[in-house]
Amino acid sequence: MNTKLLHTVLFAWFRKHGRILPWRMRELSALYKVKKIGKTKVSVLRDSTIASYFTTKWNRDPYTIIVSELMLQQTQVDRVLPKFESFIHKWPTVHDLSKAKLSDVLIEWKGLGYNRRAKFLHEMARAVVHTHKGNFPKTEEELRKLPGVGEYTARAVLTFAYGKDIGVVDTNIRRIFSRIMFGTEAGQTNISTKEFFAVIDQSVPSGKGDPWNQALMDFGALVCTAKSPKCDNCPLQTVCIANLSAQKHGFRNYADSLAAKNKEINAKKVSATKKIPFEQTDRYFRGKVIDILRDGPQHMEKLYQQMEHDYTLHDKKRWGNIIESLMIDGLIAIRGSTVSLA
Ligand code: SF4
């Protein structure tokens, strides 16, 4: 595919439809401007925010990028928005977070799930302050040594904080490239992961890595979505290989062909496996233990009784394993017969 065309089309789409998100701002206050309506002053969203991604050298704080990226792993943007603002309000810098107690961070994390991410964030802050004298590393290799920072988050920091022209390969971006260039879903292309990353890196327009990655993320979240892509309204519908190939096979568009394929796969899955409800999984019970402890330490036996009564956890052996796994993950502490957040 002609990458110049891809840049032109997606940047035009992004300028019109891109999302204004607080972690994209250099300062949260940059989101708003004060406007006078009659005699009253009100804060309104800046309408020039998206345009400014293209013209301003942002140099965002790597700390806010990592906080947002860890929150966004497995959690929807809508749920992350209020939590991000309150987290940054409470611990505005990596130094502030490094001085916080883990139990306070776990309390603040309520509602986001996957509590280990809160612990990673806390450990990351301490590592940056104690090992790197408060300065975030500037290479992918060094960033990836920080707790909780994998390849994706390291690349997000490099491009969103330091303005490097590299691809940020998340599930959205993988999906878009797999469809438009290879006509298939992510993981079904016949090239290696290394080659795939190279294709994505080569597509980054010079000097515009930041808005480019943000445009792709928004396009994947709003148009080329996982289950029901909006092919009818997609600005790439006439060049996307997946869409053209679906039409060749008699479908109206790729969304219809994907729906037909998913229907077939789901029918097979339902007959092959009986799905365990989320409320019976260890992850659910682990989350509930942390929720109870957010209100304060508990006697071990009373905690088990509450889990049994409120959440129908009746298996003592399983209860023991859950408590042990939370201890191993460093999320809880046990002193005598009292359990508390770590
Ligand atoms: S045409 Fe459909 S599959 Fe192709 S990029 Fe657009 S939304 Fe995605």
Short mmCIF file of all heavy atoms in Angstrom, two decimals, residues 259-292:
data_model
loop_
_atom_site.label_atom_id
_atom_site.label_comp_id
_atom_site.label_asym_id
_atom_site.label_seq_id
_atom_site.Cartn_x
_atom_site.Cartn_y
_atom_site.Cartn_z
N ALA A 259 -18.24 -10.96 10.42
CA ALA A 259 -19.38 -11.39 11.25
C ALA A 259 -19.75 -12.83 10.92
O ALA A 259 -20.02 -13.63 11.83
CB ALA A 259 -20.56 -10.46 11.01
N ALA A 260 -19.73 -13.17 9.63
CA ALA A 260 -20.08 -14.54 9.23
C ALA A 260 -19.06 -15.53 9.79
O ALA A 260 -19.41 -16.59 10.32
CB ALA A 260 -20.14 -14.62 7.71
N LYS A 261 -17.79 -15.15 9.70
CA LYS A 261 -16.72 -16.04 10.20
C LYS A 261 -16.84 -16.22 11.71
O LYS A 261 -16.75 -17.32 12.24
CB LYS A 261 -15.36 -15.43 9.84
CG LYS A 261 -14.27 -16.50 9.68
CD LYS A 261 -12.89 -15.93 9.68
CE LYS A 261 -12.49 -15.28 8.39
NZ LYS A 261 -11.20 -14.57 8.48
N ASN A 262 -17.07 -15.11 12.44
CA ASN A 262 -17.16 -15.17 13.90
C ASN A 262 -18.36 -16.00 14.36
O ASN A 262 -18.31 -16.69 15.36
CB ASN A 262 -17.24 -13.77 14.50
CG ASN A 262 -15.88 -13.09 14.48
OD1 ASN A 262 -14.86 -13.77 14.34
ND2 ASN A 262 -15.86 -11.78 14.60
N LYS A 263 -19.45 -15.92 13.60
CA LYS A 263 -20.65 -16.69 13.94
C LYS A 263 -20.33 -18.19 13.90
O LYS A 263 -20.69 -18.95 14.80
CB LYS A 263 -21.76 -16.36 12.93
CG LYS A 263 -23.14 -16.59 13.47
CD LYS A 263 -24.16 -16.08 12.49
CE LYS A 263 -25.51 -16.67 12.81
NZ LYS A 263 -26.48 -16.44 11.76
N GLU A 264 -19.62 -18.56 12.87
CA GLU A 264 -19.23 -19.97 12.70
C GLU A 264 -18.31 -20.42 13.85
O GLU A 264 -18.52 -21.45 14.46
CB GLU A 264 -18.47 -20.08 11.38
CG GLU A 264 -18.62 -21.40 10.67
CD GLU A 264 -17.89 -21.32 9.34
OE1 GLU A 264 -18.36 -20.59 8.44
OE2 GLU A 264 -16.82 -21.93 9.25
N ILE A 265 -17.30 -19.57 14.16
CA ILE A 265 -16.34 -19.92 15.22
C ILE A 265 -17.06 -20.03 16.57
O ILE A 265 -16.86 -20.97 17.32
CB ILE A 265 -15.21 -18.86 15.31
CG1 ILE A 265 -14.35 -18.92 14.04
CG2 ILE A 265 -14.34 -19.06 16.54
CD1 ILE A 265 -13.36 -17.79 13.89
N ASN A 266 -17.95 -19.06 16.86
CA ASN A 266 -18.65 -19.07 18.15
C ASN A 266 -19.54 -20.29 18.30
O ASN A 266 -19.65 -20.87 19.38
CB ASN A 266 -19.49 -17.80 18.32
CG ASN A 266 -18.58 -16.62 18.60
OD1 ASN A 266 -17.44 -16.80 19.02
ND2 ASN A 266 -19.06 -15.42 18.34
N ALA A 267 -20.20 -20.69 17.20
CA ALA A 267 -21.07 -21.87 17.27
C ALA A 267 -20.24 -23.09 17.64
O ALA A 267 -20.64 -23.91 18.47
CB ALA A 267 -21.75 -22.07 15.92
N LYS A 268 -19.04 -23.20 17.07
CA LYS A 268 -18.16 -24.34 17.38
C LYS A 268 -17.71 -24.28 18.83
O LYS A 268 -17.69 -25.27 19.53
CB LYS A 268 -16.93 -24.32 16.47
CG LYS A 268 -17.20 -24.95 15.12
CD LYS A 268 -15.92 -25.05 14.33
CE LYS A 268 -16.24 -25.29 12.86
NZ LYS A 268 -15.20 -24.83 11.97
N LYS A 269 -17.36 -23.06 19.29
CA LYS A 269 -16.86 -22.88 20.67
C LYS A 269 -17.92 -23.28 21.68
O LYS A 269 -17.65 -23.98 22.64
CB LYS A 269 -16.50 -21.41 20.89
CG LYS A 269 -15.03 -21.12 20.75
CD LYS A 269 -14.76 -19.76 21.35
CE LYS A 269 -13.56 -19.12 20.71
NZ LYS A 269 -13.58 -17.68 20.84
N VAL A 270 -19.16 -22.83 21.47
CA VAL A 270 -20.24 -23.10 22.44
C VAL A 270 -20.47 -24.59 22.57
O VAL A 270 -20.62 -25.12 23.67
CB VAL A 270 -21.55 -22.38 22.00
CG1 VAL A 270 -22.73 -22.85 22.83
CG2 VAL A 270 -21.38 -20.88 22.15
N SER A 271 -20.43 -25.31 21.44
CA SER A 271 -20.67 -26.75 21.56
C SER A 271 -19.46 -27.47 22.14
O SER A 271 -19.59 -28.52 22.73
CB SER A 271 -21.06 -27.33 20.20
OG SER A 271 -20.01 -27.09 19.30
N ALA A 272 -18.25 -26.90 22.00
CA ALA A 272 -17.05 -27.59 22.49
C ALA A 272 -16.77 -27.34 23.97
O ALA A 272 -16.29 -28.20 24.67
CB ALA A 272 -15.84 -27.17 21.66
N THR A 273 -17.07 -26.15 24.47
CA THR A 273 -16.71 -25.84 25.86
C THR A 273 -17.86 -25.18 26.61
O THR A 273 -18.66 -24.46 26.05
CB THR A 273 -15.54 -24.83 25.90
OG1 THR A 273 -15.92 -23.72 25.12
CG2 THR A 273 -14.24 -25.41 25.44
N LYS A 274 -17.89 -25.45 27.90
CA LYS A 274 -18.87 -24.78 28.74
C LYS A 274 -18.11 -23.66 29.44
O LYS A 274 -17.14 -23.90 30.13
CB LYS A 274 -19.43 -25.77 29.74
CG LYS A 274 -20.76 -25.37 30.28
CD LYS A 274 -21.40 -26.50 31.06
CE LYS A 274 -22.45 -25.93 31.97
NZ LYS A 274 -22.12 -26.03 33.35
N LYS A 275 -18.52 -22.42 29.21
CA LYS A 275 -17.77 -21.29 29.76
C LYS A 275 -17.99 -21.13 31.27
O LYS A 275 -19.12 -21.22 31.74
CB LYS A 275 -18.22 -20.01 29.04
CG LYS A 275 -17.08 -19.08 28.81
CD LYS A 275 -17.51 -17.86 28.06
CE LYS A 275 -16.45 -16.80 28.24
NZ LYS A 275 -16.97 -15.47 28.10
N ILE A 276 -16.89 -20.91 32.02
CA ILE A 276 -17.02 -20.69 33.46
C ILE A 276 -17.40 -19.23 33.68
O ILE A 276 -16.74 -18.33 33.17
CB ILE A 276 -15.67 -20.96 34.17
CG1 ILE A 276 -15.23 -22.40 33.91
CG2 ILE A 276 -15.77 -20.69 35.66
CD1 ILE A 276 -13.82 -22.68 34.36
N PRO A 277 -18.48 -18.95 34.45
CA PRO A 277 -18.84 -17.55 34.69
C PRO A 277 -17.70 -16.83 35.41
O PRO A 277 -17.01 -17.44 36.24
CB PRO A 277 -20.08 -17.63 35.59
CG PRO A 277 -20.51 -19.05 35.56
CD PRO A 277 -19.36 -19.89 35.14
N PHE A 278 -17.53 -15.54 35.10
CA PHE A 278 -16.44 -14.76 35.69
C PHE A 278 -16.50 -14.80 37.22
O PHE A 278 -15.49 -14.86 37.91
CB PHE A 278 -16.52 -13.32 35.18
CG PHE A 278 -15.50 -12.41 35.80
CD1 PHE A 278 -14.14 -12.68 35.65
CD2 PHE A 278 -15.89 -11.30 36.55
CE1 PHE A 278 -13.18 -11.85 36.24
CE2 PHE A 278 -14.94 -10.48 37.13
CZ PHE A 278 -13.59 -10.76 36.98
N GLU A 279 -17.74 -14.81 37.77
CA GLU A 279 -17.92 -14.78 39.23
C GLU A 279 -17.45 -16.07 39.90
O GLU A 279 -17.53 -16.21 41.11
CB GLU A 279 -19.40 -14.54 39.58
CG GLU A 279 -19.89 -13.14 39.31
CD GLU A 279 -20.11 -12.89 37.83
OE1 GLU A 279 -20.12 -13.87 37.05
OE2 GLU A 279 -20.26 -11.71 37.45
N GLN A 280 -16.99 -17.04 39.11
CA GLN A 280 -16.46 -18.26 39.74
C GLN A 280 -14.97 -18.42 39.48
O GLN A 280 -14.40 -19.47 39.72
CB GLN A 280 -17.21 -19.48 39.20
CG GLN A 280 -18.62 -19.58 39.75
CD GLN A 280 -19.42 -20.67 39.07
OE1 GLN A 280 -18.87 -21.63 38.56
NE2 GLN A 280 -20.73 -20.50 39.04
N THR A 281 -14.35 -17.37 38.96
CA THR A 281 -12.92 -17.48 38.65
C THR A 281 -12.06 -16.98 39.81
O THR A 281 -12.52 -16.18 40.64
CB THR A 281 -12.56 -16.63 37.40
OG1 THR A 281 -12.90 -15.27 37.70
CG2 THR A 281 -13.33 -17.09 36.18
N ASP A 282 -10.80 -17.43 39.84
CA ASP A 282 -9.87 -16.96 40.87
C ASP A 282 -9.66 -15.46 40.76
O ASP A 282 -9.50 -14.77 41.75
CB ASP A 282 -8.52 -17.67 40.73
CG ASP A 282 -8.57 -19.08 41.31
OD1 ASP A 282 -9.66 -19.50 41.74
OD2 ASP A 282 -7.52 -19.75 41.32
N ARG A 283 -9.65 -14.95 39.52
CA ARG A 283 -9.42 -13.52 39.33
C ARG A 283 -10.51 -12.70 40.03
O ARG A 283 -10.25 -11.68 40.66
CB ARG A 283 -9.38 -13.17 37.84
CG ARG A 283 -8.97 -11.73 37.60
CD ARG A 283 -8.44 -11.56 36.21
NE ARG A 283 -9.46 -11.27 35.24
CZ ARG A 283 -10.08 -10.10 35.13
NH1 ARG A 283 -9.81 -9.13 35.96
NH2 ARG A 283 -10.99 -9.91 34.20
N TYR A 284 -11.74 -13.19 39.93
CA TYR A 284 -12.86 -12.50 40.58
C TYR A 284 -12.67 -12.52 42.11
O TYR A 284 -12.77 -11.49 42.77
CB TYR A 284 -14.17 -13.21 40.20
CG TYR A 284 -15.39 -12.71 40.91
CD1 TYR A 284 -15.98 -11.50 40.54
CD2 TYR A 284 -15.95 -13.44 41.96
CE1 TYR A 284 -17.11 -11.03 41.20
CE2 TYR A 284 -17.09 -12.97 42.62
CZ TYR A 284 -17.65 -11.77 42.23
OH TYR A 284 -18.76 -11.30 42.88
N PHE A 285 -12.35 -13.70 42.66
CA PHE A 285 -12.20 -13.80 44.12
C PHE A 285 -11.01 -12.96 44.61
O PHE A 285 -11.08 -12.32 45.64
CB PHE A 285 -12.02 -15.27 44.53
CG PHE A 285 -13.27 -16.10 44.33
CD1 PHE A 285 -13.23 -17.30 43.65
CD2 PHE A 285 -14.50 -15.66 44.81
CE1 PHE A 285 -14.38 -18.05 43.45
CE2 PHE A 285 -15.66 -16.40 44.62
CZ PHE A 285 -15.60 -17.60 43.93
N ARG A 286 -9.92 -12.98 43.84
CA ARG A 286 -8.75 -12.17 44.23
C ARG A 286 -9.15 -10.69 44.30
O ARG A 286 -8.81 -9.98 45.23
CB ARG A 286 -7.62 -12.34 43.19
CG ARG A 286 -6.81 -13.60 43.35
CD ARG A 286 -5.91 -13.81 42.12
NE ARG A 286 -5.07 -12.67 41.84
CZ ARG A 286 -3.78 -12.58 42.14
NH1 ARG A 286 -3.17 -13.59 42.72
NH2 ARG A 286 -3.08 -11.50 41.85
N GLY A 287 -9.89 -10.23 43.30
CA GLY A 287 -10.33 -8.83 43.26
C GLY A 287 -11.20 -8.49 44.46
O GLY A 287 -11.10 -7.41 45.04
N LYS A 288 -12.07 -9.45 44.84
CA LYS A 288 -12.98 -9.19 45.97
C LYS A 288 -12.21 -9.12 47.29
O LYS A 288 -12.53 -8.31 48.17
CB LYS A 288 -14.06 -10.28 46.04
CG LYS A 288 -15.06 -10.19 44.91
CD LYS A 288 -15.79 -8.85 44.95
CE LYS A 288 -16.60 -8.60 43.70
NZ LYS A 288 -17.01 -7.20 43.56
N VAL A 289 -11.17 -9.96 47.45
CA VAL A 289 -10.35 -9.90 48.67
C VAL A 289 -9.72 -8.51 48.78
O VAL A 289 -9.79 -7.85 49.83
CB VAL A 289 -9.24 -11.00 48.66
CG1 VAL A 289 -8.26 -10.77 49.80
CG2 VAL A 289 -9.86 -12.39 48.75
N ILE A 290 -9.15 -8.04 47.68
CA ILE A 290 -8.52 -6.71 47.69
C ILE A 290 -9.57 -5.63 47.99
O ILE A 290 -9.33 -4.70 48.77
CB ILE A 290 -7.80 -6.42 46.34
CG1 ILE A 290 -6.68 -7.43 46.10
CG2 ILE A 290 -7.26 -4.99 46.28
CD1 ILE A 290 -5.49 -7.32 47.03
N ASP A 291 -10.76 -5.77 47.40
CA ASP A 291 -11.83 -4.79 47.65
C ASP A 291 -12.15 -4.71 49.14
O ASP A 291 -12.28 -3.63 49.71
CB ASP A 291 -13.11 -5.19 46.90
CG ASP A 291 -13.10 -4.67 45.47
OD1 ASP A 291 -12.20 -3.87 45.16
OD2 ASP A 291 -13.97 -5.07 44.69
N ILE A 292 -12.27 -5.87 49.80
CA ILE A 292 -12.61 -5.88 51.23
C ILE A 292 -11.48 -5.23 52.03
O ILE A 292 -11.71 -4.41 52.92
CB ILE A 292 -12.86 -7.34 51.73
CG1 ILE A 292 -14.10 -7.92 51.04
CG2 ILE A 292 -13.03 -7.37 53.25
CD1 ILE A 292 -14.30 -9.41 51.26
#
